[in-house]
């Protein structure tokens, strides 16, 4: 005679294994999407750095030539 508790435990274990496999697949997809987002954000980050450098250079040039006016 089989143990009914063992059958329940085996069913629960099978459900847990299935859910963990699905979770692993979802995490793999999430990692791929995050890599794509990070790759696309690299251009935005580069542009932001370029703009910051431009702004700093303009401020330096305006200050060095005494052309910087006070804001209104």
């Amino acid at each position: 005679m089989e143990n009914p508790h063992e059958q329940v435990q085996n069913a629960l274990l099978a459900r847990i294994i299935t859910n963990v496999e699905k979770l692993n697949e979802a995490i793999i997809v999430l990692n791929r999407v995050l890599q794509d987002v990070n790759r696309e954000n690299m251009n935005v980050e580069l542009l932001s750095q370029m703009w910051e450098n431009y702004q700093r250079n303009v401020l330096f040039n305006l200050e060095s030539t005494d052309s910087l006016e006070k804001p209104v």
Side-chain angles (χ1 to χ4, degrees), residues 42-59:
M42 286 171 53
N43 291 334
V44 174
E45 182 181 353
L46 179 62
L47 180 64
S48 172
Q49 290 173 357
M50 290 170 61
W51 179 254
E52 184 180 356
N53 287 337
Y54 173 77
Q55 216 173 7
R56 198 175 316 127
N57 289 338
V58 166
L59 181 62

Side-chain angles (χ1 to χ4, degrees), residues 2 4 12-13 27 33 47-49 58 60-61 64-65 67 71:
E2 290 189 26
L12 287 174
L13 188 58
I27 288 176
V33 170
L47 180 64
S48 172
Q49 290 173 357
V58 166
F60 175 78
N61 288 331
S64 66
T65 60
S67 301

Side-chain angles (χ1 to χ4, degrees), residues 4 9 12 15 18-20 23 31-32 35 37 46-47 50-51 57 60-62 70:
Q9 287 178 344
L12 287 174
R15 286 177 58 193
T18 302
N19 287 337
V20 168
L23 177 62
N31 282 337
R32 265 192 235 124
Q35 285 175 346
V37 168
L46 179 62
L47 180 64
M50 290 170 61
W51 179 254
N57 289 338
F60 175 78
N61 288 331
L62 287 174
K70 293 185 178 183

